[in-house]
Amino acid sequence: LKISYANLIADLCERLGGNVEEVTHAMGMDPRIGPQFLNAGLGFGGFCLPKDIQAFLHLAESHGVDFSLLREAEAVNKRRIDQFIEKVREALWIVKEKRIGVLGLAFKPNTDDIRFAPAIEVIRRLVAERASVRVSDPVAIDRARKVLTGVEFMADPYQVARGADALLLLTEWKEYKALDWKRVAKEMSRPLILDARNMLSPVQMQGLGFEYYSFGRPGLQPLVPA
């Protein structure tokens, strides 16, 4: 619920020119809420949360309790992928035959678990639109090879960036935050980053010459009229 709420706040911030990080920081200062699980982005995945939501909904409905609140939280989470793909389309205009690099395959950092990982679905959508996709992850490549086709797997993130028209950050690995981003910009055909996890600083990335897009932070996406 908190993750999906933060994502809806991010959507509102994009409409109004607000900064979701300022809003969620203020929310998290209330000890009754706390700062955990208030990070806007591509949404949650993995095996446990999606499975447990379904189990909880079944339990509630089988006992006559309308738990539509949780169903809507699940729906918000699923829409994040659609919204991110739309950001990619808006930034690139045409996805077909564009060279797109992807950093991050696991559903969260510090695991090789790709079950219900949003990154996997994003990549499948890009391949379906006939983009040329290169991918990397510190530990999840071997598992991803079993479920992804039509992509190039690379261990070196700088190779993923080489000649790319866009670079997508889909898992918030600390290794990616520590990259030499000046080098990344030089490697890319077009210095365009779509940060699905809000892990980088907009000011720093724009200062390095990147076109930079994320979720719910000001000055990064064109405002939609209310």
Side-chain angles (χ1 to χ4, degrees):
L1 285 170
K2 290 176 73 174
I3 293 168
S4 293
Y5 189 86
N7 282 327
L8 287 174
I9 292 294
D11 292 346
L12 185 59
C13 284
E14 289 187 12
R15 297 260 180 164
L16 301 177
N19 187 329
V20 66
E21 291 179 342
E22 293 179 0
V23 178
T24 54
H25 174 72
M27 289 175 58
M29 292 176 69
D30 187 327
R32 297 167 298 180
I33 299 173
Q36 297 84 5
F37 303 106
L38 284 176
N39 295 322
L42 195 56
F44 59 81
F47 184 67
C48 293
L49 277 178
K51 173 183 66 69
D52 290 347
I53 286 174
Q54 290 300 316
F56 206 93
L57 285 168
H58 181 267
L59 175 67
E61 291 171 359
S62 65
H63 289 80
V65 176
D66 180 0
F67 224 117
S68 54
L69 175 66
L70 190 56
R71 191 174 296 283
E72 181 57 25
E74 178 186 46
V76 169
N77 191 63
K78 289 181 178 179
R79 289 199 299 268
R80 302 314 287 171
I81 293 173
D82 295 332
Q83 290 171 251
F84 185 70
I85 291 294
E86 189 57 34
K87 286 180 183 290
V88 175
R89 293 192 187 112
E90 289 177 359
L92 289 173
W93 288 32
I94 298 173
V95 174
K96 181 181 177 182
E97 297 181 356
K98 291 293 175 64
R99 293 165 293 183
I100 299 177
V102 172
L103 298 181
L105 300 168
F107 83 94
K108 67 177 182 178
N110 305 314
T111 181
D112 65 351
D113 195 343
I114 59 169
R115 292 175 294 179
F116 299 103
I120 299 299
E121 182 60 24
V122 168
I123 293 165
R124 285 172 173 160
R125 300 268 195 99
L126 296 173
V127 171
E129 295 195 27
R130 298 176 65 183
S132 175
V133 182
R134 294 175 175 178
V135 305
S136 186
D137 188 280
V139 299
I141 287 180
D142 288 342
R143 285 199 171 190
R145 288 182 192 276
K146 299 175 183 178
V147 300
L148 287 175
T149 58
V151 305
E152 292 184 76
F153 294 91
M154 297 182 171
D156 185 352
Y158 296 106
Q159 285 186 315
V160 171
R162 188 165 300 151
D165 298 300
L167 188 63
L168 279 50
L169 293 171
L170 303 186
T171 310
E172 58 270 40
W173 286 95
K174 64 180 181 180
E175 289 89 340
Y176 296 151
K177 196 167 186 177
L179 289 175
D180 180 347
W181 286 100
K182 285 185 179 180
R183 177 182 172 185
V184 172
K186 292 178 181 178
E187 294 280 4
M188 297 180 70
S189 174
R190 174 185 175 187
L192 167 64
I193 292 179
L194 293 109
D195 183 355
R197 297 297 182 180
N198 288 7
M199 63 181 291
L200 302 177
S201 163
V203 173
Q204 290 179 2
M205 301 312 292
Q206 290 171 340
L208 291 172
F210 284 100
E211 297 174 68
Y212 180 83
Y213 298 84
S214 59
F215 279 108
R217 297 193 287 179
L220 308 176
Q221 298 89 5
L223 295 179
V224 179

